[in-house]
Amino acid sequence: MDWSAPLLRATPGDPVSGGNPRHVPGACWSRCSATAMPKPELRLWNGGLATSLGDLEADAALWSGQRLIEGMDPHAHRYGGHQFGNWAHQLGDGRALTLGHVNAASGLTEVQLKGAGRTPYSRRGDGRAVLRSSLREFLCSEAMHHLGVPTSRALSLCTTGEDVRRDMFYDGRPAMEPGAIVARTAPSFVRFGSFQMLAADGDEDVLRALMHHVVATHEPDHHVNDDAGIVAWLTDVAERSATMVSGWMRHGFVHGVMNTDNMSIHGLTIDYGPFGWLEAHDPSWTPNTTDLPGRRYRYAAQPDVVGWNVARLLEAVALAMDDPEPLHGVLDAYREAYRNARQQAWVERLGLSTWNEADEALVRDLQHVMHASQIDHVPMLRHLAEGVTTAEALRDAGRIYATEPDLSAIDAWIGRWLERVGGTPDTSTMQRTVPVFTPRNWVLQLAIDDAERGDWTKAEALATRLMRPFERLPEDEDAWWSGPRPEWAMTRPGCSMLSCSS
Ligand code: AMP
Ligand code: MG
C-alpha cells in the first residue's frame, strides 16, 4: 500500500520532533511517535473498511503505532478552537497521532491513532485514551456511517496492556482503567479550528498554504485561487455541515462537544466523546455533564451551533481574501441547506409525499406531545412506520417513559397525521429512513462492562448489528440491545450522562 504524509509536504511544521507540550507558533504539525506499549492486542477490526483501503493488515503493532510502514510519517496536527463559545487558542492533537495517508481507490485517506501517547499538544493530558471511550467511538462512528450520516470511520481498536488513570466524575477520586487505541480514518482530520489557529496568530501565508493543500488534495471540484473560488468551497463546507447536523437531528444524536476544534472541514462527524442518543424526547437534553450549566450543545441547539461554528471558520478564512463581503452568502447557504434537509427528513420520517407549510405545525405539535409524555423519539416514528398507531400500543411497547402520559393527546396527534396522509403514509420510505437500531448509551455501556472484563462478545455483536440499522432483524427479538431504556440506565454513569473524561 502506498503511504504518504501530504500535510507535511504542503505546510510548515515544527522544527523539533516530539518533546514536551509547548506553543508551536507558525506550524501546522509536529512530528512525534507513539509511546511504547507493553502488550498491544487487536480487539476489534473493521474488515470491510480495511479491504476498501487496499487490504490493510490486521496487526496490533501497526494500529498501536509500534510498527510503521514505509511512507508513514507520524505527526500531530496543530489547531485551535472555540470551546463552549470561548476562544481557547492552541489545542492541537493532544492524543491523536496521524500515521499518514493511504492512497485508496476511494481517495487519499488519513489514518490516525487516538490514545497513542503524548504530543507537543498534550498540554496537561497524558495522551492516552481509555477502553470505554474508545469502544464508544468505534461503535458509534460505524453506526453513524451505516445510518448514512457523514462521519470519520473506525478501522481498529487495540487494547494497550496498560492502565490509565482517570477521574471519571471529576470529584477527586481517580481510578485505573484499561487503556486502548482506536485507529480512525477520514479524508483528513483538518478542522475549522485548524484555520482559526492560523488566523488568530495572523499567519496569513500559512493559512493560505493550508487552504490550498486541503482543497488541492481533497476537493477536485474546487480551487481557491481567487475570492470566488474560496466562497464556492466554503459554501460547500457549510452545506455539508448542514447535511451532517440534519442527519444527527433526524436520528436523535447529540454530539455533546460541538467546539470549533471538533468541526471537520469535510463536514464529517468527528471526535466522538460524551455523545448520546435522544431517548425521552427533550429539546434541551445534553449528554455532557460539562455542558449542563449552559446546555449550549443541547439537542435542539445543534443546527444553530453548527451555523455559529461555520461563522467562526468564515472569519478565519476571511484573512486570505481580498474582499470578504460575499462570505455573508455562505451563512445564507448554510441556513437554506439546513432548512431543506430538515424538511426532507420530516417528509421521509412522516411518510409524506411533499412538504406543505401546514406540516410545520404538525411537526411542532408532535415534538410537544413527545416531550410532554416523554416518548422515545425515533422508536415512536418507527412504530408508526410499522403500523403501530395507538398511544396504548406505544405504551405497551415501552416507548412512553412518563408515568402519567397524556394518551389522548398522543392519539389526537396520530389522528391528525393519518388524516394528513389520507390514511396511507408512505411506510416504505419511513422504514427506509427511520432506524430500528441506534447504539444507545446504555447498550454501549453493557458492551463496555463486558469488554473491561475481557469479554468482547457484546462489542462484536453490536459491530455487526449496526451495519443494518434500518432493518428489523429476527435476532432483535428479545436481544439484549433491543427494547426501551431500562430503569437502571437512568442513574448509571455513562448511560444518561457522561463527562468529558476519556
Ligand atoms: P476533545 O474534547 O477530545 O475534543 O479534546 C480537546 C483537546 O484536548 C484536544 O486538543 C485534545 O487533543 C486534548 N486532549 C483530550 N484528552 C487528552 C489527553 N488525555 N491527553 C492529551 N490531550 C488531550
Ligand atoms: Mg476534539
Side-chain angles (χ1 to χ4, degrees), residues 79 83 91-95 122-123 125-128 166 261-262 271:
Y79 54 82
Q83 298 190 313
L91 297 165
D93 287 334
R95 54 152 166 196
S122 296
R123 295 176 288 157
D126 58 6
R128 308 301 180 100
R166 284 288 180 273
D261 50 298
N262 290 338
D271 282 19

Side-chain angles (χ1 to χ4, degrees), residues 79 83 91-93 95 114 184 191 255 257 259-263 270-272:
Y79 54 82
Q83 298 190 313
L91 297 165
D93 287 334
R95 54 152 166 196
K114 189 168 170 182
R184 57 184 188 173
R191 299 127 194 281
H255 183 286
V257 208
N259 295 334
T260 56
D261 50 298
N262 290 338
M263 291 287 300
I270 55 166
D271 282 19
Y272 291 80

Side-chain angles (χ1 to χ4, degrees), residues 76-413:
H77 174 44
R78 175 171 179 258
Y79 54 82
H82 276 90
Q83 298 190 313
F84 296 92
N86 304 307
W87 175 244
H89 212 64
Q90 180 181 296
L91 297 165
D93 287 334
R95 54 152 166 196
L97 184 73
T98 292
L99 293 175
H101 276 70
V102 62
N103 196 2
S106 54
L108 214 50
T109 302
E110 181 167 342
V111 182
Q112 184 176 79
L113 306 180
K114 189 168 170 182
R118 273 171 21 119
T119 78
Y121 308 99
S122 296
R123 295 176 288 157
R124 283 184 298 279
D126 58 6
R128 308 301 180 100
V130 292
L131 191 160
R132 67 182 150 79
S133 66
S134 305
L135 186 47
R136 283 168 54 78
E137 169 146 5
F138 186 102
L139 292 174
C140 193
S141 62
E142 283 303 297
M144 205 61 105
H145 169 74
H146 291 286
L147 285 165
V149 182
T151 178
S152 60
R153 305 284 310 270
L155 175 67
S156 62
L157 186 154
C158 292
T159 48
T160 61
E162 245 172 1
D163 283 350
V164 176
R165 193 178 164 86
R166 284 288 180 273
D167 186 359
M168 183 168 150
F169 302 106
Y170 296 138
D171 63 356
R173 289 185 301 156
M176 300 309 280
E177 296 186 47
I181 297 176
V182 165
R184 57 184 188 173
T185 72
S188 87
F189 285 93
V190 172
R191 299 127 194 281
F192 288 11
S194 311
F195 295 92
Q196 285 184 283
M197 181 72 253
L198 301 168
D201 284 348
D203 282 332
E204 194 180 324
D205 291 347
V206 186
L207 191 149
R208 259 192 211 165
L210 179 66
M211 179 173 74
H212 278 275
H213 160 68
V214 166
V215 173
T217 313
H218 301 288
E219 304 282 0
D221 298 335
H222 288 287
H223 72 82
V224 282
N225 300 330
D226 53 28
D227 282 2
I230 294 175
V231 170
W233 164 59
L234 289 172
T235 302
D236 239 7
V237 173
E239 290 176 351
R240 284 178 221 164
S241 304
T243 303
M244 170 193 78
V245 71
S246 74
W248 299 355
M249 297 305 281
R250 74 153 74 202
H251 299 311
F253 178 77
V254 186
H255 183 286
V257 208
M258 285 313 299
N259 295 334
T260 56
D261 50 298
N262 290 338
M263 291 287 300
S264 152
I265 198 67
H266 307 292
L268 307 173
T269 314
I270 55 166
D271 282 19
Y272 291 80
F275 63 80
W277 302 81
L278 205 53
E279 288 163 351
H281 180 81
D282 178 359
S284 69
W285 183 65
T286 174
N288 181 359
T289 49
T290 312
D291 191 32
L292 278 180
R295 293 184 186 264
R296 180 181 175 85
Y297 299 141
R298 63 191 182 277
Y299 173 69
Q302 295 186 114
D304 283 344
V305 167
V306 171
W308 190 90
N309 290 344
V310 168
R312 303 290 79 75
L313 172 67
L314 303 183
E315 282 169 2
V317 176
L319 188 65
M321 294 175 70
D322 295 324
D323 173 18
E325 188 58 29
L327 289 178
H328 288 289
V330 177
L331 285 181
D332 294 338
Y334 172 76
R335 277 189 286 269
E336 172 82 5
Y338 181 73
R339 188 167 49 241
N340 291 339
R342 173 180 174 275
Q343 287 176 1
Q344 181 63 21
W346 281 112
V347 163
E348 292 172 2
R349 280 158 28 102
L350 294 178
L352 314 177
S353 47
T354 53
W355 179 259
N356 297 340
E357 270 319 302
D359 294 328
E360 202 56 69
L362 190 72
V363 165
R364 185 195 58 219
D365 294 344
L366 169 63
Q367 289 171 330
H368 283 159
V369 163
M370 289 195 296
H371 191 199
S373 291
Q374 296 174 35
I375 304 177
D376 209 329
H377 179 130
V378 172
M380 171 170 178
L381 295 177
R382 182 69 197 198
H383 279 300
L384 293 181
E386 293 178 353
V388 176
T389 51
T390 66
E392 197 73 38
L394 273 177
R395 189 175 58 178
D396 291 348
R399 295 302 184 169
I400 302 181
Y401 299 122
T403 41
E404 289 180 32
D406 188 346
L407 297 185
S408 58
I410 301 168
D411 279 328
W413 184 88

